[in-house]
Amino acid sequence: MSVRVRGLGVKLGQATILQALDVDVEEGEFFTLLGPSGCGKTTFLRVLAGLERPTTGTVWIGDRVVNDPARGVFVAPEARDIGFVFQSYALWPHMTVAENVAFPLRARKRPATEIRSRVEWALQMVGLAALPTRPVTALSGGQQQRVAIARAIVHQPKLLLMDEPLSNLDADLRREVRDEVRRLQRTLGTTTIYVTHDQEEAFAVSDRIAVMDKGRILQVGAPQALYEAPRSEFVSRFLGQLVLRGQFRCDGGAPRLEIYGHVLPWSSADSVREGPVELCLDVGKLRLQPPGHGEAQATQTALRGEVERVTFAGRWGWRARVRVWGALVLELYTPSEVREGDQVVLAAAPGYLRVIGAPEDAPVPAAQV
């Protein structure tokens, strides 16, 4: 089931929660809304579910208009053929696992034999087939989340909505359950719209990601494309990259980038505009070389720095704070032990520094070191 949204806006009193959103989600796609708390992600999901009425805009689920306030169209939640996984699980504490999962089918007055077979199927899908009679209050957090997912899929909805479903789980369990969620979605082929504020989680499960802030969608793309080509400072920062400001100088010759008082050659073949510029620095493309290792390979750019602090990081080796260009402090992991005060080389893969814009939105063509 595809989803199409045009001009969606939501106001609560004088507060604007969503601002003229346009969204297209393809049938069978795992689409994630990623952004900080309060940016409007959950409100968007609740509008799709029919739990919140929009102020403006039109929403299609499949070929059916389910929201259009201008024409007075509003389809009730129970008529939208969706499954919803809430952040708080929203399980009935006085019911067993099977009774919780069966609830949507009982509300639809399905035959007892169908309820029994569908509940067995749903519990099998989430790995809880052995616990149908267990009270939900006797389950772990991860098991309760699986019950919530089973309840959402038991009637085989065309659209599955998931609102921060893993936020109450510890880090290791989050990784385990998120992988199960992705496996389940691929098995069922159900169109899924997922809400999270965790970029690692979004990268792990999504076909495409929409980055949101202050009620707007800033950029949509596949995880790798989004990470490697952010189009704004907010998107760069939220995806874990550093945003820097520099100055392009041409002087009639090859362009050079001046940053923190240091001049770097600009090796990209793309043209650039002379003047101030905003760039994102991808720390993930830097590798800390141990002292005495020598220069970076010829295909890379060598950055020199000084280690300011080192802490042991377990399986990651050591976490080092390194000052480069005399001003910028970076945190990097290295399997080789380094010491405070060491002079080190950072091997920088091509593309570690990219143009994302210019002050006051002056146009700057995309380019990279």
Side-chain angles (χ1 to χ4, degrees), residues 82-104:
I82 63 169
F84 201 119
V85 180
F86 294 90
Q87 181 177 357
S88 61
Y89 310 154
L91 301 177
W92 298 101
H94 62 287
M95 293 183 181
T96 66
V97 168
E99 289 169 342
N100 265 279
V101 175
F103 187 82

PDB file of all heavy atoms in Angstrom, residues 82-104:
ATOM      1  N   ILE A  82      -4.591  -0.333   9.028  1.00  0.00           N
ATOM      2  CA  ILE A  82      -3.213  -0.102   9.459  1.00  0.00           C
ATOM      3  C   ILE A  82      -2.926  -0.878  10.732  1.00  0.00           C
ATOM      4  O   ILE A  82      -3.832  -1.272  11.469  1.00  0.00           O
ATOM      5  CB  ILE A  82      -2.940   1.401   9.721  1.00  0.00           C
ATOM      6  CG1 ILE A  82      -3.818   1.892  10.864  1.00  0.00           C
ATOM      7  CG2 ILE A  82      -3.141   2.230   8.468  1.00  0.00           C
ATOM      8  CD1 ILE A  82      -3.438   3.252  11.374  1.00  0.00           C
ATOM      9  N   GLY A  83      -1.648  -1.096  10.992  1.00  0.00           N
ATOM     10  CA  GLY A  83      -1.181  -1.587  12.280  1.00  0.00           C
ATOM     11  C   GLY A  83      -0.321  -0.508  12.902  1.00  0.00           C
ATOM     12  O   GLY A  83       0.402   0.200  12.192  1.00  0.00           O
ATOM     13  N   PHE A  84      -0.386  -0.360  14.213  1.00  0.00           N
ATOM     14  CA  PHE A  84       0.350   0.714  14.901  1.00  0.00           C
ATOM     15  C   PHE A  84       1.093   0.121  16.085  1.00  0.00           C
ATOM     16  O   PHE A  84       0.495  -0.531  16.945  1.00  0.00           O
ATOM     17  CB  PHE A  84      -0.633   1.789  15.378  1.00  0.00           C
ATOM     18  CG  PHE A  84       0.008   3.139  15.628  1.00  0.00           C
ATOM     19  CD1 PHE A  84      -0.387   4.247  14.902  1.00  0.00           C
ATOM     20  CD2 PHE A  84       1.007   3.308  16.583  1.00  0.00           C
ATOM     21  CE1 PHE A  84       0.183   5.492  15.120  1.00  0.00           C
ATOM     22  CE2 PHE A  84       1.594   4.543  16.809  1.00  0.00           C
ATOM     23  CZ  PHE A  84       1.181   5.638  16.070  1.00  0.00           C
ATOM     24  N   VAL A  85       2.407   0.364  16.135  1.00  0.00           N
ATOM     25  CA  VAL A  85       3.228  -0.041  17.278  1.00  0.00           C
ATOM     26  C   VAL A  85       3.590   1.216  18.040  1.00  0.00           C
ATOM     27  O   VAL A  85       4.300   2.082  17.534  1.00  0.00           O
ATOM     28  CB  VAL A  85       4.498  -0.786  16.837  1.00  0.00           C
ATOM     29  CG1 VAL A  85       5.323  -1.187  18.064  1.00  0.00           C
ATOM     30  CG2 VAL A  85       4.134  -2.017  16.014  1.00  0.00           C
ATOM     31  N   PHE A  86       3.099   1.312  19.276  1.00  0.00           N
ATOM     32  CA  PHE A  86       3.291   2.511  20.080  1.00  0.00           C
ATOM     33  C   PHE A  86       4.612   2.446  20.846  1.00  0.00           C
ATOM     34  O   PHE A  86       5.111   1.371  21.182  1.00  0.00           O
ATOM     35  CB  PHE A  86       2.141   2.681  21.083  1.00  0.00           C
ATOM     36  CG  PHE A  86       0.813   2.943  20.442  1.00  0.00           C
ATOM     37  CD1 PHE A  86      -0.026   1.892  20.092  1.00  0.00           C
ATOM     38  CD2 PHE A  86       0.386   4.244  20.194  1.00  0.00           C
ATOM     39  CE1 PHE A  86      -1.256   2.124  19.503  1.00  0.00           C
ATOM     40  CE2 PHE A  86      -0.842   4.484  19.606  1.00  0.00           C
ATOM     41  CZ  PHE A  86      -1.663   3.420  19.260  1.00  0.00           C
ATOM     42  N   GLN A  87       5.144   3.616  21.167  1.00  0.00           N
ATOM     43  CA  GLN A  87       6.389   3.698  21.920  1.00  0.00           C
ATOM     44  C   GLN A  87       6.255   3.047  23.293  1.00  0.00           C
ATOM     45  O   GLN A  87       7.174   2.403  23.792  1.00  0.00           O
ATOM     46  CB  GLN A  87       6.791   5.173  22.083  1.00  0.00           C
ATOM     47  CG  GLN A  87       8.092   5.385  22.836  1.00  0.00           C
ATOM     48  CD  GLN A  87       8.474   6.855  22.904  1.00  0.00           C
ATOM     49  OE1 GLN A  87       7.802   7.701  22.340  1.00  0.00           O
ATOM     50  NE2 GLN A  87       9.562   7.150  23.579  1.00  0.00           N
ATOM     51  N   SER A  88       5.089   3.182  23.900  1.00  0.00           N
ATOM     52  CA  SER A  88       4.868   2.654  25.260  1.00  0.00           C
ATOM     53  C   SER A  88       4.348   1.224  25.259  1.00  0.00           C
ATOM     54  O   SER A  88       3.946   0.717  26.308  1.00  0.00           O
ATOM     55  CB  SER A  88       3.868   3.548  25.986  1.00  0.00           C
ATOM     56  OG  SER A  88       2.617   3.547  25.303  1.00  0.00           O
ATOM     57  N   TYR A  89       4.310   0.566  24.081  1.00  0.00           N
ATOM     58  CA  TYR A  89       3.780  -0.790  23.876  1.00  0.00           C
ATOM     59  C   TYR A  89       2.258  -0.818  23.934  1.00  0.00           C
ATOM     60  O   TYR A  89       1.612  -1.473  23.142  1.00  0.00           O
ATOM     61  CB  TYR A  89       4.335  -1.806  24.881  1.00  0.00           C
ATOM     62  CG  TYR A  89       5.834  -1.818  25.044  1.00  0.00           C
ATOM     63  CD1 TYR A  89       6.410  -2.260  26.226  1.00  0.00           C
ATOM     64  CD2 TYR A  89       6.692  -1.395  24.036  1.00  0.00           C
ATOM     65  CE1 TYR A  89       7.788  -2.291  26.394  1.00  0.00           C
ATOM     66  CE2 TYR A  89       8.058  -1.408  24.189  1.00  0.00           C
ATOM     67  CZ  TYR A  89       8.602  -1.851  25.370  1.00  0.00           C
ATOM     68  OH  TYR A  89       9.947  -1.858  25.532  1.00  0.00           O
ATOM     69  N   ALA A  90       1.639  -0.122  24.943  1.00  0.00           N
ATOM     70  CA  ALA A  90       0.176  -0.055  25.075  1.00  0.00           C
ATOM     71  C   ALA A  90      -0.453  -1.441  25.149  1.00  0.00           C
ATOM     72  O   ALA A  90      -1.487  -1.709  24.531  1.00  0.00           O
ATOM     73  CB  ALA A  90      -0.431   0.752  23.924  1.00  0.00           C
ATOM     74  N   LEU A  91       0.147  -2.340  25.925  1.00  0.00           N
ATOM     75  CA  LEU A  91      -0.406  -3.684  26.121  1.00  0.00           C
ATOM     76  C   LEU A  91      -1.413  -3.677  27.267  1.00  0.00           C
ATOM     77  O   LEU A  91      -1.320  -2.869  28.188  1.00  0.00           O
ATOM     78  CB  LEU A  91       0.708  -4.675  26.422  1.00  0.00           C
ATOM     79  CG  LEU A  91       1.801  -4.808  25.350  1.00  0.00           C
ATOM     80  CD1 LEU A  91       2.885  -5.769  25.820  1.00  0.00           C
ATOM     81  CD2 LEU A  91       1.214  -5.267  24.027  1.00  0.00           C
ATOM     82  N   TRP A  92      -2.343  -4.616  27.202  1.00  0.00           N
ATOM     83  CA  TRP A  92      -3.313  -4.767  28.294  1.00  0.00           C
ATOM     84  C   TRP A  92      -2.667  -5.605  29.397  1.00  0.00           C
ATOM     85  O   TRP A  92      -2.395  -6.797  29.201  1.00  0.00           O
ATOM     86  CB  TRP A  92      -4.577  -5.459  27.797  1.00  0.00           C
ATOM     87  CG  TRP A  92      -5.307  -4.692  26.729  1.00  0.00           C
ATOM     88  CD1 TRP A  92      -5.283  -4.906  25.395  1.00  0.00           C
ATOM     89  CD2 TRP A  92      -6.178  -3.581  26.948  1.00  0.00           C
ATOM     90  NE1 TRP A  92      -6.073  -4.004  24.746  1.00  0.00           N
ATOM     91  CE2 TRP A  92      -6.644  -3.171  25.670  1.00  0.00           C
ATOM     92  CE3 TRP A  92      -6.622  -2.878  28.071  1.00  0.00           C
ATOM     93  CZ2 TRP A  92      -7.507  -2.110  25.490  1.00  0.00           C
ATOM     94  CZ3 TRP A  92      -7.485  -1.825  27.896  1.00  0.00           C
ATOM     95  CH2 TRP A  92      -7.924  -1.447  26.627  1.00  0.00           C
ATOM     96  N   PRO A  93      -2.401  -5.041  30.572  1.00  0.00           N
ATOM     97  CA  PRO A  93      -1.640  -5.778  31.596  1.00  0.00           C
ATOM     98  C   PRO A  93      -2.387  -6.975  32.189  1.00  0.00           C
ATOM     99  O   PRO A  93      -1.753  -7.880  32.731  1.00  0.00           O
ATOM    100  CB  PRO A  93      -1.383  -4.712  32.667  1.00  0.00           C
ATOM    101  CG  PRO A  93      -2.448  -3.693  32.462  1.00  0.00           C
ATOM    102  CD  PRO A  93      -2.717  -3.682  30.989  1.00  0.00           C
ATOM    103  N   HIS A  94      -3.719  -6.987  32.099  1.00  0.00           N
ATOM    104  CA  HIS A  94      -4.482  -8.090  32.695  1.00  0.00           C
ATOM    105  C   HIS A  94      -4.675  -9.246  31.717  1.00  0.00           C
ATOM    106  O   HIS A  94      -5.305 -10.255  32.062  1.00  0.00           O
ATOM    107  CB  HIS A  94      -5.861  -7.592  33.147  1.00  0.00           C
ATOM    108  CG  HIS A  94      -6.713  -7.078  32.038  1.00  0.00           C
ATOM    109  ND1 HIS A  94      -6.472  -5.883  31.413  1.00  0.00           N
ATOM    110  CD2 HIS A  94      -7.798  -7.622  31.424  1.00  0.00           C
ATOM    111  CE1 HIS A  94      -7.383  -5.696  30.472  1.00  0.00           C
ATOM    112  NE2 HIS A  94      -8.200  -6.734  30.465  1.00  0.00           N
ATOM    113  N   MET A  95      -4.119  -9.133  30.504  1.00  0.00           N
ATOM    114  CA  MET A  95      -4.285 -10.172  29.490  1.00  0.00           C
ATOM    115  C   MET A  95      -2.995 -10.954  29.293  1.00  0.00           C
ATOM    116  O   MET A  95      -1.901 -10.474  29.575  1.00  0.00           O
ATOM    117  CB  MET A  95      -4.692  -9.550  28.151  1.00  0.00           C
ATOM    118  CG  MET A  95      -6.062  -8.920  28.119  1.00  0.00           C
ATOM    119  SD  MET A  95      -6.421  -8.301  26.440  1.00  0.00           S
ATOM    120  CE  MET A  95      -8.064  -7.607  26.698  1.00  0.00           C
ATOM    121  N   THR A  96      -3.148 -12.151  28.750  1.00  0.00           N
ATOM    122  CA  THR A  96      -1.991 -12.956  28.365  1.00  0.00           C
ATOM    123  C   THR A  96      -1.427 -12.458  27.044  1.00  0.00           C
ATOM    124  O   THR A  96      -2.005 -11.582  26.384  1.00  0.00           O
ATOM    125  CB  THR A  96      -2.383 -14.432  28.213  1.00  0.00           C
ATOM    126  OG1 THR A  96      -3.291 -14.547  27.101  1.00  0.00           O
ATOM    127  CG2 THR A  96      -3.027 -14.972  29.473  1.00  0.00           C
ATOM    128  N   VAL A  97      -0.321 -13.063  26.646  1.00  0.00           N
ATOM    129  CA  VAL A  97       0.283 -12.729  25.354  1.00  0.00           C
ATOM    130  C   VAL A  97      -0.715 -12.951  24.225  1.00  0.00           C
ATOM    131  O   VAL A  97      -0.959 -12.071  23.393  1.00  0.00           O
ATOM    132  CB  VAL A  97       1.555 -13.577  25.131  1.00  0.00           C
ATOM    133  CG1 VAL A  97       2.032 -13.477  23.685  1.00  0.00           C
ATOM    134  CG2 VAL A  97       2.647 -13.155  26.091  1.00  0.00           C
ATOM    135  N   ALA A  98      -1.317 -14.127  24.180  1.00  0.00           N
ATOM    136  CA  ALA A  98      -2.252 -14.454  23.098  1.00  0.00           C
ATOM    137  C   ALA A  98      -3.468 -13.540  23.115  1.00  0.00           C
ATOM    138  O   ALA A  98      -3.968 -13.128  22.054  1.00  0.00           O
ATOM    139  CB  ALA A  98      -2.678 -15.915  23.197  1.00  0.00           C
ATOM    140  N   GLU A  99      -3.962 -13.224  24.287  1.00  0.00           N
ATOM    141  CA  GLU A  99      -5.145 -12.357  24.380  1.00  0.00           C
ATOM    142  C   GLU A  99      -4.836 -10.952  23.868  1.00  0.00           C
ATOM    143  O   GLU A  99      -5.673 -10.327  23.216  1.00  0.00           O
ATOM    144  CB  GLU A  99      -5.644 -12.315  25.830  1.00  0.00           C
ATOM    145  CG  GLU A  99      -6.289 -13.620  26.277  1.00  0.00           C
ATOM    146  CD  GLU A  99      -6.529 -13.667  27.786  1.00  0.00           C
ATOM    147  OE1 GLU A  99      -5.904 -12.866  28.522  1.00  0.00           O
ATOM    148  OE2 GLU A  99      -7.322 -14.514  28.231  1.00  0.00           O
ATOM    149  N   ASN A 100      -3.656 -10.443  24.178  1.00  0.00           N
ATOM    150  CA  ASN A 100      -3.268  -9.128  23.650  1.00  0.00           C
ATOM    151  C   ASN A 100      -3.186  -9.147  22.129  1.00  0.00           C
ATOM    152  O   ASN A 100      -3.686  -8.239  21.465  1.00  0.00           O
ATOM    153  CB  ASN A 100      -1.916  -8.709  24.230  1.00  0.00           C
ATOM    154  CG  ASN A 100      -2.047  -7.833  25.463  1.00  0.00           C
ATOM    155  OD1 ASN A 100      -2.278  -6.633  25.356  1.00  0.00           O
ATOM    156  ND2 ASN A 100      -1.921  -8.459  26.622  1.00  0.00           N
ATOM    157  N   VAL A 101      -2.550 -10.183  21.596  1.00  0.00           N
ATOM    158  CA  VAL A 101      -2.381 -10.260  20.147  1.00  0.00           C
ATOM    159  C   VAL A 101      -3.723 -10.439  19.450  1.00  0.00           C
ATOM    160  O   VAL A 101      -3.961  -9.909  18.359  1.00  0.00           O
ATOM    161  CB  VAL A 101      -1.411 -11.405  19.790  1.00  0.00           C
ATOM    162  CG1 VAL A 101      -1.311 -11.587  18.283  1.00  0.00           C
ATOM    163  CG2 VAL A 101      -0.034 -11.136  20.376  1.00  0.00           C
ATOM    164  N   ALA A 102      -4.643 -11.157  20.088  1.00  0.00           N
ATOM    165  CA  ALA A 102      -5.949 -11.430  19.481  1.00  0.00           C
ATOM    166  C   ALA A 102      -6.882 -10.230  19.499  1.00  0.00           C
ATOM    167  O   ALA A 102      -7.883 -10.217  18.769  1.00  0.00           O
ATOM    168  CB  ALA A 102      -6.612 -12.603  20.202  1.00  0.00           C
ATOM    169  N   PHE A 103      -6.569  -9.219  20.288  1.00  0.00           N
ATOM    170  CA  PHE A 103      -7.510  -8.122  20.502  1.00  0.00           C
ATOM    171  C   PHE A 103      -7.995  -7.472  19.201  1.00  0.00           C
ATOM    172  O   PHE A 103      -9.207  -7.253  19.026  1.00  0.00           O
ATOM    173  CB  PHE A 103      -6.891  -7.077  21.429  1.00  0.00           C
ATOM    174  CG  PHE A 103      -7.853  -6.002  21.836  1.00  0.00           C
ATOM    175  CD1 PHE A 103      -8.739  -6.205  22.882  1.00  0.00           C
ATOM    176  CD2 PHE A 103      -7.911  -4.799  21.151  1.00  0.00           C
ATOM    177  CE1 PHE A 103      -9.650  -5.223  23.253  1.00  0.00           C
ATOM    178  CE2 PHE A 103      -8.811  -3.809  21.502  1.00  0.00           C
ATOM    179  CZ  PHE A 103      -9.683  -4.022  22.559  1.00  0.00           C
ATOM    180  N   PRO A 104      -7.123  -7.122  18.235  1.00  0.00           N
ATOM    181  CA  PRO A 104      -7.617  -6.501  16.994  1.00  0.00           C
ATOM    182  C   PRO A 104      -8.591  -7.390  16.224  1.00  0.00           C
ATOM    183  O   PRO A 104      -9.521  -6.892  15.581  1.00  0.00           O
ATOM    184  CB  PRO A 104      -6.339  -6.253  16.187  1.00  0.00           C
ATOM    185  CG  PRO A 104      -5.248  -6.241  17.192  1.00  0.00           C
ATOM    186  CD  PRO A 104      -5.649  -7.223  18.234  1.00  0.00           C
TER     187      PRO A 104
END
